[in-house]
Amino acid sequence: METTRFRDKWKSRTRHLSNTAQIALDFAYQQITGIGPEAVPLILTELKRETDHWFWALEAITGENPVTSEQSGDIEATACGWIEWGRKNGHLNS
């Protein structure tokens, strides 16, 4: 699947970066974002498997930000907020 290939490229090229903007501006990340709504369940499934910086893509695709002010800045809590949003909105089964 193309999304998996883009994900692998993105992780390979950005694993040494700490700047979230640089991570999200990587071309492979942008390609995933460009897939649009059909990428949301795949991104959320990946987020469940491994917490990573998928939040910009999710917000860009969905136009939503379910992360509370208490969760903001905490990558694990932010992931939980998005995963819960995905469940509530039918993007994740469990």
Side-chain angles (χ1 to χ4, degrees), residues 32 41 79:
I32 293 166

Side-chain angles (χ1 to χ4, degrees), residues 3-53:
T3 306
T4 303
R5 184 171 54 87
F6 290 142
R7 179 205 61 208
D8 292 346
K9 279 185 178 182
W10 170 64
K11 286 183 176 269
S12 172
R13 293 194 306 222
T14 63
R15 74 176 49 139
H16 64 284
L17 298 176
S18 60
N19 183 306
T20 307
Q22 286 181 307
I23 292 168
L25 290 173
D26 180 79
F27 185 69
Y29 189 94
Q30 295 298 310
Q31 293 286 71
I32 293 166
T33 303
I35 291 170
E38 72 182 58
V40 172
L42 302 169
I43 293 171
L44 291 170
T45 299
E46 180 67 20
L47 193 56
K48 277 179 55 180
R49 189 182 70 76
E50 178 183 12
T51 301
D52 212 335
H53 296 279

Side-chain angles (χ1 to χ4, degrees), residues 52-85:
D52 212 335
H53 296 279
W54 289 111
F55 316 122
W56 284 27
L58 288 166
E59 189 170 348
I61 294 168
T62 67
E64 307 255 351
N65 184 356
V67 179
T68 66
S69 59
E70 293 81 22
Q71 294 169 319
S72 184
D74 179 334
I75 192 168
E76 294 292 333
T78 299
C80 288
W82 273 106
I83 291 166
E84 183 59 30
W85 175 90

